[in-house]
């Protein structure tokens, strides 16, 4: 049976280069086994760098400078200040680069000293904070939701009570005004005198 590799390839065409002799002799014609699992990688079970201390890749590393405010604005708050280092899920070297890039852009007049002009444009690209506050199974979230539900229910009860009082007052007004014409006229005249 066909099996994929159990190690990481240094480059994707490694198995083809390893079979160059067979290829020169024509033995690989119609051999699908060489191409079948090309580019497969084993499942990444554990995070190789859970603390984020590895160096950032070059394509990201070279963008974290003062020339790319749209890139480093993704890692700033709405007021343009830096998030704490333990909240922002990037490695410490990139964090330092972002802070340096921001200060250089401000000093060169390329970025405002307060505010984040790219806030609305970077919403969908913003990294999620390293916080467990949003876990629906946690006790803190459960307490917050119960408190919210209790407050909402109390507010709704008070609102319904005043709506019922207002509805009762309106129904009393309608029954009073639909009574005898003379008494209603007298009452209206008296109320008009009182209003003046």
């Amino acid at each position: 049976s066909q099996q994929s590799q159990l190690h990481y390839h240094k480059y994707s065409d490694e198995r083809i280069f390893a079979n160059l002799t067979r290829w020169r002799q024509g033995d690989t014609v119609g051999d699908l086994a060489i191409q079948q699992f090309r580019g497969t990688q084993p499942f990444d079970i554990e995070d190789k760098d859970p603390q984020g201390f590895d160096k950032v890749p070059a394509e990201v590393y070279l963008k974290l400078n003062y020339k790319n405010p749209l890139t480093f604005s993704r890692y700033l708050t709405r007021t343009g200040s830096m998030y704490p280092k333990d909240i922002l899920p990037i490695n410490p070297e990139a964090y330092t680069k972002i802070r340096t890039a921001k200060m250089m852009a401000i000093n060169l007049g390329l970025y405002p000293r307060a505010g984040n002009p790219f806030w609305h444009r970077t919403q969908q690209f913003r990294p999620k904070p390293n916080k467990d506050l949003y876990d629906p199974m946690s006790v803190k979230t459960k307490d917050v939701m119960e408190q919210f539900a209790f407050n909402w229910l109390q507010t709704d009860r008070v609102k319904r009570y005043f709506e019922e009082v207002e509805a009762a007052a309106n129904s009393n007004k309608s029954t009073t005004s639909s009574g005898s014409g003379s008494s209603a006229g007298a009452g209206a005249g008296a109320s008009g005198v009182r209003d003046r």
Side-chain angles (χ1 to χ4, degrees):
S1 64
Q2 295 285 355
Q3 289 183 355
S4 63
Q5 55 177 9
L6 295 178
H7 68 282
Y8 280 93
H9 279 332
K10 196 165 185 180
Y11 34 80
S12 56
D13 291 337
E14 189 175 330
R15 62 171 59 206
I16 294 179
F17 292 136
N19 286 281
L20 277 178
T21 308
R22 289 183 57 211
W23 175 75
R24 287 195 197 99
Q25 295 170 352
D27 293 342
T28 57
V29 175
D31 188 1
L32 297 180
I34 291 181
Q35 293 281 340
Q36 190 166 8
F37 294 107
R38 181 184 170 200
T40 58
Q41 298 287 349
F43 179 65
D44 194 6
I45 298 174
E46 54 188 21
D47 191 1
K48 301 293 185 298
D49 183 33
Q51 299 299 324
F53 286 110
D54 278 359
K55 296 191 74 165
V56 277
E59 61 269 14
V60 176
Y61 193 83
L62 295 173
K63 283 183 180 179
L64 298 179
N65 54 37
Y66 68 94
K67 303 175 190 175
N68 293 287
L70 183 59
T71 302
F72 66 73
S73 288
R74 290 167 47 186
Y75 306 99
L76 303 179
T77 64
R78 187 165 191 168
T79 59
S81 55
M82 299 284 295
Y83 286 102
K85 196 180 284 190
D86 57 340
I87 295 296
L88 207 56
I90 57 177
N91 69 53
E93 193 170 357
Y95 186 90
T96 308
K97 277 211 150 297
I98 289 167
R99 190 173 55 205
T100 308
K102 181 196 164 209
M103 288 313 301
M104 283 182 69
I106 289 173
N107 293 336
L108 290 171
L110 303 175
Y111 202 76
R113 201 163 280 280
N116 186 347
F118 300 102
W119 172 262
H120 294 290
R121 257 177 282 180
T122 57
Q123 280 308 296
Q124 56 180 332
F125 305 112
R126 300 189 77 76
K128 293 177 174 54
N130 285 333
K131 289 189 290 187
D132 297 330
L133 300 180
Y134 310 111
D135 180 14
M137 303 300 293
S138 69
V139 177
K140 182 176 175 57
T141 306
K142 181 171 173 290
D143 291 346
V144 167
M145 289 306 296
E146 284 182 355
Q147 186 69 27
F148 171 78
F150 176 77
N151 290 341
W152 185 91
L153 191 60
Q154 296 296 95
T155 308
D156 189 62
R157 283 177 182 160
V158 172
K159 191 169 79 171
R160 274 194 290 126
Y161 167 76
F162 281 107
E163 285 174 355
E164 290 169 5
V165 167
E166 190 177 4
N170 290 339
S171 65
N172 287 342
K173 277 184 190 174
S174 62
T175 54
T176 307
S177 63
S178 63
S180 60
S182 61
S183 64
S191 66
V193 171
R194 278 202 304 274
D195 289 342
R196 289 195 197 111

